[in-house]
Amino acid sequence: MKTNIKVLFAAAISVLTVGCTDLDVPVESQYTSYPNSEAALEAQLSGIYFQMRDCIGRRYMEAMALSSDEYTSVAYGGNWYDGGAYAHPSLHNFNYEDATIDWMTVLASGVVKANEIIDSEADDSYKAPARAMRAYFTYIMMDGWGDVAINDSKLADQIDLEARQPRADVARWIESELKEIIPMLTTETTGENYGKPNKYMAQALLAKLYINWPVYTAASVESYDAATAQNEKLDECIAVCNEIINSGKFELGPDAYRFKFASDNTERVQNGTIKDFIYAMPYHTTEATGMQYGRSHSYKDIKNLNPSYYGEQLTNSGGGYVTMTPEFVKLFNLKGDERNKLILGLSENLDDYRYDTGSDENAVYVYDTKTLLPTAQVCLDKEGNPLKLSRNIHLEEKDFTINVGDNLTGWRQGCRNLKWHVTRNDYANGRNQSNDVPLIRFADVLLMKAEALTRKGSSDEARSLVNQIRAYAGAELLDHNPSLEEIYQERGREFFDENLRRTDMIRFGHFEDEYFPHYKDFPTANFEKTRRIFPINKGMLDLNTKWKQNNGY
């Protein structure tokens, strides 16, 4: 029952006294002599490890998912428009006051907390994981905001630690930091070290840095061109992926794909039946709250479905403001692919459940709570009629609210997914789920290596790596070496709803594509390349007066 997470989280709450968010924190609000007891250090580290728990559980997910082609927001009349907080990322028309990007201060605070250990007299067994987290927080900020601060006290005589540094310099600093600490980090990934940084987490983060190297080191955000960019780090990306693969610590199975994201996935990791998670954020419905994907992703009237498609009646309503785009669901077209079965409204043919060119509206089935597979029972809406979802999204009018109407017709617009299967007992607790969120998976390492090999030229090994993913999911195999476009599509199928799609779209040159509602004839849709990064959140600008807003905002 996630005992180690409960104990660490409780200890962190009782010991932590620092909750700052400013990169320039007054010294009197920090420890001037750091507590050196093992309990105090472990508690402080726990606060750092779980710093992003709330924002990954909701706001970070909203920013990543809604700005990609995976999802769009919808409003129900005046409900869930919320000042455009969800519509803005869907249209790439971001506003620096949107709640969906208010998590930058959380990351900055995490850097400050990490530095308190790094700059203390603690030994390297404590400093190394703190440095890994500082590098991770800095990577997330750099990916989302471009130029950010390099808050490393060793560089105080070289740079202004309060000022933003060029993105390329930040990327190089992250690289050097990760390479230095990798030998110091533990190789344990489960037990008491689950949810904490480890050697393979740092190596995989380095691989992610390398595969995106041309994006992060481009002269400017808008100057990156996927068609012409050259990646000088491909060999290094392949080498670090090989180290992870050759460690023998990870595999795609043995549990089936759908169980990796279930409410008991912590227990499955600890029992050794999920070996795909390199780094994850643990959640629990009462002890480690904040994971609320079901709230936004579920059918709006989920409370009045009896049973719901989750296989049991839920006692809380759904928000339902996040729904899948018509373009994205077309990816789920491979025969036999288990991942298809996680998309609601994709098909009515249970024998061959995949996207086809048939009806726009498809019935939703009730899923078995143990197998997590659809049964032959059709889900009924509150009026007793079969619940059908429309793969295409039909608006009441084409305007910036993305309004589908607050009625049965509006509620069924767009396919939904149940990748993060909701349980009645979890959802009753403020809609907080126990599904842990993997932040880096072994499958990502395999596909990053396949991509790097393909960028170097056609590769039989790349085909083998892609086919490992497909075979595990039960999908039809490639009979040829993959193109970059095929790898991009495979990443979409494998990592949907895991907060990776936006970064992939930018790297592969698809972020400025048209996908609902990001169409060129849609009011307020923005296609400027400057939108590849978010605006600096107002709270961050207020705290750091030397920072200026990103270009184009």
Side-chain angles (χ1 to χ4, degrees):
M1 196 63 164
K2 312 192 180 193
T3 303
N4 62 311
I5 301 304
K6 291 183 187 178
V7 172
L8 286 173
F9 188 67
I13 293 298
S14 65
V15 174
L16 290 178
T17 59
V18 180
C20 43
T21 57
D22 194 347
L23 289 178
D24 183 21
V25 183
V27 69
E28 60 266 24
S29 69
Q30 303 183 50
Y31 289 114
T32 53
S33 60
Y34 202 83
N36 57 9
S37 73
E38 183 176 346
L41 287 166
E42 288 290 353
Q44 183 72 358
L45 279 169
S46 293
I48 298 166
Y49 300 150
F50 308 135
Q51 178 75 12
M52 288 187 69
R53 175 173 278 147
D54 282 345
C55 57
I56 287 174
R58 183 178 178 188
R59 294 305 192 190
Y60 179 76
M61 171 274 295
E62 290 169 343
M64 296 297 118
L66 292 174
S67 60
S68 79
D69 67 348
E70 288 182 328
Y71 292 105
T72 180
S73 71
V74 290
Y76 301 105
N79 295 321
W80 290 108
Y81 177 62
D82 288 12
Y86 315 110
H88 291 159
S90 294
L91 295 164
H92 292 188
N93 192 21
F94 311 106
N95 184 300
Y96 86 136
E97 293 186 273
D98 286 339
T100 46
I101 57 168
D102 68 0
W103 37 271
M104 191 175 191
T105 53
V106 175
L107 295 165
S109 176
V111 170
V112 172
K113 292 178 182 179
N115 277 339
E116 289 169 358
I117 288 181
I118 295 165
D119 296 335
S120 75
E121 295 181 359
D123 63 44
D124 283 344
S125 64
Y126 296 104
K127 289 185 178 184
R131 289 173 68 183
M133 292 307 302
R134 181 176 66 179
Y136 181 72
F137 294 148
T138 305
Y139 172 85
I140 297 295
M141 286 193 286
M142 176 197 69
D143 180 72
W145 278 273
D147 300 349
V148 295
I150 303 175
N151 201 332
D152 182 349
S153 60
K154 293 186 295 184
L155 304 177
D157 60 343
Q158 304 172 41
I159 63 173
D160 183 349
L161 298 181
E162 298 176 42
R164 298 170 73 188
Q165 303 302 318
R167 196 184 204 187
D169 291 348
V170 178
R172 295 185 186 98
W173 176 81
I174 295 171
E175 177 191 25
S176 65
E177 186 75 353
L178 290 173
K179 290 171 77 172
E180 185 173 330
I181 64 173
I182 282 170
M184 307 177 196
L185 292 166
T186 181
T187 58
E188 293 303 317
T189 61
T190 57
E192 291 298 315
N193 208 59
Y194 180 58
K196 301 178 184 180
N198 56 66
K199 174 183 178 179
Y200 311 107
M201 170 267 204
Q203 288 179 321
L205 183 59
L206 189 58
K208 293 173 87 64
L209 184 72
Y210 285 153
I211 203 68
N212 286 291
W213 196 258
V215 177
Y216 298 147
T217 59
S220 65
V221 169
E222 57 268 35
S223 67
Y224 171 74
D225 183 353
T228 60
Q230 298 296 311
N231 190 338
E232 64 187 89
K233 297 290 187 177
L234 292 177
D235 287 335
E236 289 170 88
C237 181
I238 293 167
V240 74
C241 287
N242 281 338
E243 288 191 44
I244 298 169
I245 294 168
N246 294 335
S247 73
K249 287 267 189 178
F250 308 99
E251 60 181 270
L252 296 175
D255 273 347
Y257 181 89
R258 62 191 180 277
F259 292 115
K260 293 180 184 180
F261 314 97
S263 61
D264 64 347
N265 57 357
T266 296
E267 290 77 11
R268 291 174 181 272
V269 169
Q270 300 291 27
N271 292 334
T273 62
I274 293 176
K275 297 183 178 180
D276 185 34
F277 292 7
I278 294 175
Y279 180 52
M281 182 63 70
Y283 289 92
H284 186 272
T285 183
T286 55
E287 277 79 19
T289 60
M291 201 294 188
Q292 296 192 340
Y293 287 18
R295 180 190 190 205
S296 57
H297 292 30
S298 297
Y299 175 71
K300 184 176 184 292
D301 197 36
I302 193 77
K303 180 179 179 180
N304 287 315
L305 303 180
N306 188 13
S308 73
Y309 46 73
Y310 294 113
E312 51 191 347
Q313 186 175 22
L314 303 183
T315 55
N316 276 324
S317 62
Y321 55 94
V322 174
T323 190
M324 302 184 80
T325 70
E327 291 79 10
F328 190 73
V329 298
K330 291 178 181 179
L331 284 179
F332 296 88
N333 59 3
L334 300 180
K335 291 182 179 179
D337 194 338
E338 178 191 341
R339 297 167 297 190
N340 299 347
K341 294 185 182 294
L342 302 182
I343 312 299
L344 299 170
L346 186 69
S347 172
E348 291 191 11
N349 184 354
L350 285 174
D351 294 326
D352 186 15
Y353 198 92
R354 63 191 174 105
Y355 184 89
D356 56 38
T357 56
S359 173
D360 176 38
E361 289 193 348
N362 290 301
V364 173
Y365 296 98
V366 175
Y367 279 61
D368 185 278
T369 58
K370 294 194 183 334
T371 66
L372 307 187
L373 290 172
T375 68
Q377 180 183 1
V378 175
C379 191
L380 304 180
D381 65 24
K382 70 176 183 178
E383 294 185 352
N385 298 316
L387 175 62
K388 292 194 172 188
L389 296 180
S390 172
R391 294 188 305 202
N392 291 305
I393 300 173
H394 308 279
L395 301 176
E396 289 207 332
E397 58 181 313
K398 188 183 291 187
D399 70 4
F400 60 90
T401 66
I402 321 180
N403 176 31
V404 293
D406 196 9
N407 49 46
L408 284 171
T409 299
W411 299 345
R412 65 172 183 255
Q413 300 304 308
C415 288
R416 304 278 169 175
N417 89 75
L418 40 61
K419 185 168 185 172
W420 310 97
H421 197 96
V422 172
T423 67
R424 176 188 173 93
N425 288 341
D426 280 0
Y427 203 67
N429 291 304
R431 303 187 186 91
N432 287 297
Q433 298 170 236
S434 295
N435 317 59
D436 295 352
V437 176
L439 303 176
I440 305 177
R441 293 203 281 123
F442 183 58
D444 199 0
V445 173
L446 297 181
L447 287 180
M448 282 192 290
K449 181 181 177 183
E451 179 183 337
L453 288 166
T454 302
R455 289 187 183 278
K456 288 170 62 69
S458 179
S459 169
D460 291 342
E461 187 178 3
R463 173 171 44 166
S464 174
L465 291 165
V466 172
N467 278 340
Q468 283 185 51
I469 301 288
R470 288 197 177 189
Y472 167 72
E476 55 190 318
L477 302 183
L478 282 173
D479 60 2
H480 57 276
N481 291 343
S483 66
L484 284 175
E485 184 64 19
E486 286 172 319
I487 291 174
Y488 171 68
Q489 292 172 2
E490 196 63 38
R491 290 187 63 85
R493 297 183 192 99
E494 179 64 19
F495 304 117
F496 77 95
D497 212 7
E498 294 184 53
N499 306 316
L500 301 183
R501 184 67 169 178
R502 170 191 158 274
T503 302
D504 286 352
M505 293 184 76
I506 294 167
R507 181 172 74 257
F508 282 93
H510 288 295
F511 195 65
E512 287 81 37
D513 288 357
E514 292 190 85
Y515 40 87
F516 186 93
H518 188 241
Y519 299 140
K520 290 183 178 176
D521 64 348
F522 200 96
T524 71
N526 193 296
F527 290 83
E528 296 297 323
K529 294 178 181 179
T530 52
R531 303 304 164 117
R532 293 171 178 175
I533 55 175
F534 301 113
I536 301 297
N537 174 255
K538 182 179 186 300
M540 203 67 194
L541 289 177
D542 290 345
L543 288 170
N544 297 276
T545 56
K546 291 186 178 182
W547 289 32
K548 298 199 183 321
Q549 186 54 271
N550 281 332
N551 184 36
Y553 291 103

